[in-house]
Amino acid sequence: MSSEVSLVDRIICAAAQAWKDDGEVLATGIGLVPRLAASLCMKSVNTDIMMTDSEAWIVSEPVPVGPRGDYKIKRETWMGFSRIFDNVWGGKRHAMVGPVQVDRFGQANISMVGGDYARPKSMMLGVRGFPGNSINHANSFFVPNHSKKVFVEGEVDMVASVGYNPARLPKGWALEEMTDIRFIFTNLCVLDFGGPDHQVRLVSLHPGVTAAMVQENTGFPIFLPESVQTTAAPSAAQLAQLAELDPHNLRASALGA
Amino acid sequence: MVNKVMSAKDVVASIQDGMTIGIGGWGPRRKPMALVRELLRSDVKDLTVVSYGGADVGMLCAAGKVKKLIFAFVTLDFIPLEPYFRKARQNGDIEVVEVDEGQMLLGLKAAAMRVPYIPTRIGLGTDLVKHNPQIKVIDSPYDSKEWVAMPALNLDVALLHVDKADARGVCQISGPDMYMDDLYARAAKKTFVSCDELVETSAFDSAENSRLVFWERSETTGVVHLPCGAHPTSCGPAYGFDTKHFKEYATGAKEESGWSDYVAKYVNCTEQEYLDKVGGADAIKRLPLPVF
């Protein structure tokens, strides 16, 4: 069974565990894999989480991705963008996002790449909601291509979201009340910030991946615990639910395959 | 009874060089693009633009009208990276104040509330405070922590697009989200609104319609009747954004002459000619709403 599981399905099912103990929070997955992970979580892991239709409504059941055919969304309340911020600032949210760069502190960037902020080598989106999300509620990351280009050696080029960097701690604040980064899911492994002093720690390896491979593709030292598990395979029930949530199998190309 | 109906030319005539203008909508959604095109046809320059940016920002950058941009993102969504905004940034052509999406809301809210700033935790610990020296970190009179003082984003002019409005400036947004348009209207000295339909005041008699009015008519300075005036952006539930048009726009940007070609085809003409070139109002109203 497990050998037939595609990598992307394994990652989605692992990532669905991110909201396991969150209770009633707004789970936001930005991008296909995080969105499916949140949807699967709401179906099977933590049925108390709340989700939107990625537009303007909170829905009482996760909305399938792609063309919906006859499916009608089940609305619970309005959740336009201004109200999203009301929710963000109250802290009852856990977002899973896809940064372009991440550093050893968990500081993340989607804005621009290059050494000169006034003339970026590559301009991307802008910081979007990263600064506010990161200091207000829990966040996890999804990185489809684990490499030193993403997991950079120094600090990210534009610190868009706060991490566990003591040098950037504002007066009167503690790191733990500013920052709550839960997990990083990549195409190689699952990481968290559970090492000494919030060092990035290896949680599990996907089948066929070694800790050495992860370290080689990461620009900073990773904390290796004594035992590291293999990322769990999805259950048959989860795979069936995933097929319902992604009826057009859009996830098949989510890792750039 | 006041009649606020005017032309797009009248709107642009009240925008002077160096003004700060806010543009409503969000990415490729419900942008006042016909008013933006009229601005592109004018000589106005050195603008400070405040926007949850899409092609409105890209086009104004391409046309060299932007001196300073206050933004949290610029994107066409299904095309994540806005090509002309990227060029302007990468060439160092524009000054920027890059802020968080929610911080921008707070800046507009502060302007609307007529206070100089709103305290927030947003931006602490990030490079926003490093790259934006005008955004100050302050002490609180109530605790021992530092906070960011998000300054008011006072606008000279706001440009918005809605689906229905009457001549007195009562504006209806029937789409699922008004984004921050209500705050733009309140943050600006003058607010100009283009509308798909110009309706009689009696259209708002019903509770359903009047519930979809998000600011008072006293916040609306002028109303311009511009059917399909959001195209190529969406105006849900009436029409979705025009992916074919945006692809042509973004593909063109790869060419040296991309912007001048776009201007020659889609800007240097009347709005009626523009609508004819993009397939006509009926075709626009058939553009499907995006599914996420």
Side-chain angles (χ1 to χ4, degrees):
Chain A
M1 169 81 209
S2 63
S3 62
E4 295 162 24
V5 172
S6 73
L7 179 59
V8 71
D9 286 2
R10 186 182 297 263
I11 294 169
I12 291 168
C13 292
Q17 302 294 324
W19 294 271
K20 181 162 67 84
D21 302 317
D22 285 0
E24 285 182 316
V25 301
L26 181 67
T28 304
I30 304 290
L32 184 69
V33 167
R35 160 98 176 262
L36 287 171
S39 299
L40 187 64
C41 183
M42 190 175 176
K43 281 267 197 189
S44 63
V45 182
N46 173 2
T47 53
D48 288 334
I49 60 172
M50 301 179 289
M51 277 191 73
T52 74
D53 66 340
S54 296
E55 195 68 34
W57 307 99
I58 282 192
V59 290
S60 60
E61 70 174 23
V63 177
V65 294
R68 287 178 204 147
D70 295 334
Y71 180 87
K72 294 269 186 292
I73 67 168
K74 296 185 171 59
R75 291 185 180 86
E76 202 169 279
T77 183
W78 181 74
M79 201 66 189
F81 285 112
S82 59
R83 190 158 151 188
I84 289 273
F85 298 120
D86 292 337
N87 165 271
V88 165
W89 299 335
K92 294 188 182 72
R93 188 190 195 209
H94 178 174
M96 191 179 293
V97 297
V100 174
Q101 292 179 324
V102 178
D103 63 28
R104 67 188 185 280
F105 305 111
Q107 298 177 138
N109 176 23
I110 48 166
S111 171
M112 51 74 71
V113 169
D116 182 359
Y117 179 74
R119 290 172 73 103
K121 199 170 102 199
S122 178
M123 184 68 210
M124 298 173 304
L125 290 166
V127 295
R128 295 218 70 148
F130 272 36
N133 292 351
S134 59
I135 200 167
N136 278 295
H137 58 66
N139 289 275
S140 292
F141 301 147
F142 168 63
V143 172
N145 189 5
H146 191 132
S147 75
K148 285 184 172 172
K149 271 180 80 174
V150 180
F151 294 103
V152 296
E153 192 179 341
E155 283 189 89
V156 295
D157 291 343
M158 167 82 185
V159 177
S161 63
V162 303
Y164 299 102
N165 183 356
R168 287 176 180 264
L169 192 62
K171 190 177 75 182
W173 289 77
L175 276 180
E176 291 73 18
E177 63 181 340
M178 283 190 71
T179 307
D180 183 3
I181 312 173
R182 301 287 175 82
F183 296 101
I184 308 175
F185 302 94
T186 84
N187 60 325
L188 299 182
C189 63
V190 179
L191 304 162
D192 69 9
F193 288 81
D197 300 322
H198 306 287
Q199 189 183 357
V200 175
R201 174 176 70 175
L202 188 59
V203 174
S204 72
L205 291 161
H206 305 332
V209 179
T210 64
M213 282 164 70
V214 172
Q215 187 59 74
E216 276 165 29
N217 287 286
T218 307
F220 47 82
I222 288 178
F223 180 75
L224 300 177
E226 277 181 23
S227 74
V228 174
Q229 295 176 338
T230 300
T231 310
S235 68
Q238 282 190 314
L239 289 175
Q241 282 168 334
L242 200 45
E244 276 177 34
L245 292 164
D246 180 17
H248 311 285
N249 197 24
L250 300 177
R251 65 193 185 282
S253 54
L255 296 175
Chain B
M1 203 164 71
V2 62
N3 183 343
K4 297 176 183 170
V5 177
M6 55 170 64
S7 70
K9 275 205 164 54
D10 296 334
V11 171
V12 171
S14 61
I15 299 176
Q16 271 108 54
D17 293 355
M19 275 189 168
T20 298
I21 65 165
I23 304 177
W26 181 281
R29 298 170 178 82
R30 216 167 32 70
K31 287 283 177 181
M33 293 307 292
L35 294 180
V36 169
R37 283 188 287 275
E38 196 59 36
L39 199 49
L40 294 171
R41 293 177 194 118
S42 75
D43 296 328
V44 174
K45 60 180 190 301
D46 295 333
L47 296 172
T48 291
V49 174
V50 179
S51 178
Y52 291 101
D56 54 331
V57 169
M59 290 183 187
L60 290 169
C61 285
K65 300 212 172 285
V66 181
K67 180 165 186 283
K68 183 158 110 181
L69 177 66
I70 301 174
F71 77 109
F73 61 80
V74 182
T75 181
L76 307 174
D77 266 25
F78 80 105
I79 301 171
L81 304 179
E82 215 295 340
Y84 291 108
F85 159 70
R86 297 190 84 197
K87 277 189 190 176
R89 269 293 271 139
Q90 290 168 191
N91 292 335
D93 292 339
I94 54 171
E95 293 170 38
V96 291
V97 177
E98 185 171 0
V99 295
D100 170 270
E101 292 168 359
Q103 236 171 6
M104 197 141 113
L105 182 160
L106 293 175
L108 294 168
K109 185 89 180 166
M113 290 163 63
R114 300 181 294 162
V115 297
Y117 68 90
I118 292 179
T120 174
R121 52 177 79 201
I122 307 173
L124 291 172
T126 73
D127 278 340
L128 290 189
V129 288
K130 175 173 143 194
H131 293 308
N132 298 318
Q134 63 277 58
I135 299 180
K136 311 282 190 201
V137 174
I138 58 166
D139 288 330
S140 163
Y142 301 110
D143 62 28
S144 57
K145 286 177 172 160
E146 284 181 330
W147 301 88
V148 166
M150 179 60 202
L153 296 173
N154 295 296
L155 309 176
D156 293 305
V157 167
L159 303 178
L160 310 173
H161 183 80
V162 302
D163 36 76
K164 286 189 186 69
D166 74 0
R168 306 174 84 187
V170 179
C171 299
Q172 173 179 317
I173 295 169
S174 328
D177 206 326
M178 74 284 213
Y179 310 115
M180 310 311 148
D181 285 12
D182 52 337
L183 295 178
Y184 279 102
R186 295 181 196 283
K189 287 186 199 141
K190 292 183 176 176
T191 297
F192 299 104
V193 182
S194 57
C195 60
D196 262 75
E197 283 181 66
L198 189 63
V199 297
E200 297 297 325
T201 294
S202 60
F204 300 105
D205 287 353
S206 76
E208 292 74 28
N209 280 345
S210 59
R211 276 295 291 266
L212 301 175
V213 174
F214 300 102
W215 60 90
E216 305 75 60
R217 60 184 154 78
S218 54
E219 303 296 338
T220 311
T221 311
V223 173
V224 189
H225 184 209
L226 286 163
C228 302
H231 185 275
T233 70
S234 62
C235 186
Y239 47 93
F241 50 75
D242 190 336
T243 53
K244 186 168 148 268
H245 189 89
F246 276 131
K247 277 181 192 160
E248 182 184 334
Y249 167 80
T251 307
K254 290 174 189 145
E255 309 295 327
E256 192 61 39
S257 66
W259 177 243
S260 55
D261 291 347
Y262 187 89
V263 169
K265 192 168 172 190
Y266 294 117
V267 180
N268 289 340
C269 59
T270 66
E271 273 303 303
Q272 187 53 56
E273 287 164 349
Y274 173 85
L275 290 182
D276 291 343
K277 285 179 191 185
V278 299
D282 289 344
I284 290 173
K285 283 173 186 159
R286 284 194 299 271
L287 289 169
L289 295 170
V291 173
F292 296 97

